[in-house]
């Protein structure tokens, strides 16, 4: 790796870190996290009542989360995989609780 490539890599990492910190502070300041989680929870409840299959329900919840991100001017494609994991964890926890009843 040449010195120029190393400098470019360091600059790229600094810019990526700065963007990450910027969006993290903005998310906390504007309450984005609570709005997105609230939307996800409400959409999961609606999807459960719809009678759709599992993948259709997840697609619906992802679509609702994307709408909220668009309204809040959040770059959804960046957090899409995180939202999908949150949905999976909520559903998994719900299924564990439902089986215990």
């Amino acid at each position: 790796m040449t010195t120029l490539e190393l400098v470019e890599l360091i600059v790229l990492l600094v810019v990526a870190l700065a963007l990450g910190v910027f969006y993290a502070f903005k998310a906390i300041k504007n309450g984005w996290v609570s709005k997105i989680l609230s939307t996800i929870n409400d959409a999961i409840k609606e999807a459960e009542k719809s009678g759709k299959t599992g993948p259709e329900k997840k697609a619906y919840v992802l679509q609702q989360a994307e709408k909220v991100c668009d309204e809040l001017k959040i770059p959804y494609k960046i957090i899409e995989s995180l939202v999908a994991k949150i949905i999976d964890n909520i559903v998994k926890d719900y299924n564990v609780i439902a089986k215990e009843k």
Side-chain angles (χ1 to χ4, degrees):
M1 183 177 270
T2 67
T3 305
L4 180 60
E5 291 174 335
L6 186 60
V7 170
E8 288 175 349
L9 179 64
I10 291 171
V11 169
L12 182 62
L13 290 173
V14 168
V15 169
L17 179 63
L19 284 173
V21 170
F22 171 75
Y23 277 111
F25 280 124
K26 197 168 181 179
I28 292 168
K29 179 183 172 194
N30 295 329
W32 288 350
V33 174
S34 63
K35 291 176 186 174
I36 293 171
L37 287 176
S38 175
T39 299
I40 290 171
N41 284 321
D42 293 343
I44 288 173
K45 290 175 187 174
E46 291 173 21
E48 287 297 323
K49 294 177 185 177
S50 69
K52 297 179 180 179
T53 65
E56 292 172 334
K57 292 177 189 176
K58 185 173 182 179
Y60 172 77
V61 176
L62 288 170
Q63 182 181 31
Q64 297 305 310
E66 184 174 10
K67 286 180 184 178
V68 158
C69 288
D70 288 343
E71 292 170 7
L72 297 172
K73 306 288 191 264
I74 300 171
Y76 177 72
K77 292 297 178 187
I78 294 174
I79 63 168
E80 182 177 16
S81 63
L82 178 62
V83 171
K85 287 180 183 180
I86 290 170
I87 293 167
D88 291 340
N89 286 337
I90 290 172
V91 170
K92 183 177 77 172
D93 292 345
Y94 173 78
N95 288 339
V96 167
I97 292 170
K99 287 180 182 178
E100 292 177 359
K101 288 184 179 181

